Amino acid sequence: MQASLSRELPQEDWHLLEVPAVVTHFGTSPVTGLSEAGAIASLARHGHNVLPEAAPRAWLEILLAQFVTLPVALLTAAAGLSLFTDGLLDAAIIMGVVGINAVIGYVTESQSE
């Protein structure tokens, strides 16, 4: 709908147009709104005013997405550096934080899907 609407309206700052220009363009009334015939014509031309459904993501995709962020990469590098300097406990704690973050992120995103 957005693409067809933008093709019909002027390309300048159309959101700054005065009310009479918008009313004239859409063939409506500022008091009563669209007539039933105008609403039916608009529906036929533009379709229903709904957002497209997003395809649900697989659980593995959601889980893997938790590990491909810059903060996780930095924490993983810090854990690697800790391992390199014999800081096994530090590395384990850092990776524990990464794991907890992944679980929280996975649960949150799964619920929002």
Side-chain angles (χ1 to χ4, degrees):
M1 177 166 162
Q2 186 73 337
S4 64
L5 186 60
S6 64
R7 277 183 267 140
E8 293 177 12
L9 291 174
Q11 292 303 312
E12 67 267 5
D13 295 331
W14 57 267
H15 59 283
L16 298 175
L17 292 176
E18 296 294 325
V19 172
V22 175
V23 167
T24 302
H25 177 79
F26 287 107
T28 187
S29 164
V31 176
T32 60
L34 281 175
S35 65
E36 187 172 339
I40 291 171
S42 180
L43 179 63
R45 184 175 6 165
H46 300 292
H48 291 280
N49 187 17
V50 295
L51 295 173
E53 288 286 326
R57 296 186 302 164
W59 69 270
L60 185 58
E61 183 181 357
I62 296 171
L63 181 63
L64 292 177
Q66 305 308 311
F67 296 101
V68 291
T69 63
L70 181 60
V72 170
L74 292 173
L75 286 170
T76 303
L81 185 61
S82 291
L83 281 176
F84 182 72
T85 59
D86 291 330
L88 183 60
L89 180 61
D90 293 339
I93 291 171
I94 292 171
M95 291 313 293
V97 168
V98 169
I100 291 169
N101 179 65
V103 168
I104 292 170
Y106 174 77
V107 169
T108 303
E109 287 192 38
S110 294
Q111 290 174 349
S112 69
E113 286 284 326

